Amino acid sequence: QVQLVESGGGLVQAGGSLRLSCAASGRTFSSYAMGWSRQAPGKEREFVAVISRSGVITYYADSVKGRFTISRDNAKNTVYLQMNSLKPEDTAVYYCAAKAGVYSVLENAYDYWGLGTQVTVSS
């Protein structure tokens, strides 16, 4: 099992940047593909970014492509989401997710989830 704790959320003006972090417990972090999902009030959860176990392969939802970057540091058991050019519509609770083995772009393939961190983008 793996436990995930997100941090780095906050309030930022439109056009600004934030970097989210997700710290994972355990000694097998490099065995897990990782992802970030978000849920805005009244909306369905949206799976926005995925990174493979090695970090070589990444995937982004169209809504964040070119603005968000997912990365990982396996030595630190941490995955990051760098968010640039933020828009008010990026306002949401952001969740970190993990799945053992090969990455998937399907949110329901991920077994482990953090509790989330709030990101609010003001206009």
Side-chain angles (χ1 to χ4, degrees):
Q1 280 201 351
V2 61
Q3 293 183 325
L4 306 172
V5 179
E6 303 94 337
S7 62
L11 174 63
V12 64
Q13 288 189 331
S17 298
L18 279 175
R19 187 176 81 155
L20 305 183
S21 299
C22 173
S25 65
R27 293 176 289 180
T28 59
F29 178 70
S30 60
S31 300
Y32 291 85
M34 302 296 295
W36 286 94
S37 182
R38 67 185 182 184
Q39 186 161 26
K43 295 188 178 180
E44 291 188 359
R45 200 152 68 178
E46 179 185 19
F47 207 37
V48 297
V50 168
I51 190 165
S52 63
R53 290 168 291 178
S54 65
V56 170
I57 299 171
T58 57
Y59 158 85
Y60 299 95
D62 288 343
S63 58
V64 306
K65 199 173 294 182
R67 299 187 299 122
F68 290 12
T69 302
I70 188 171
S71 62
R72 66 189 297 160
D73 185 337
N74 285 344
K76 295 183 178 180
N77 283 14
T78 302
V79 63
Y80 305 97
L81 186 68
Q82 177 67 44
M83 306 185 295
N84 298 330
S85 302
L86 283 162
K87 305 175 182 180
E89 51 263 44
D90 294 318
T91 295
V93 178
Y94 283 73
Y95 298 91
C96 176
K99 72 175 292 292
V102 178
Y103 76 96
S104 172
V105 300
L106 300 177
E107 184 180 53
N108 60 12
Y110 288 73
D111 301 308
Y112 304 100
W113 292 85
L115 296 180
T117 186
Q118 175 71 48
V119 172
T120 302
V121 184
S122 63
S123 56

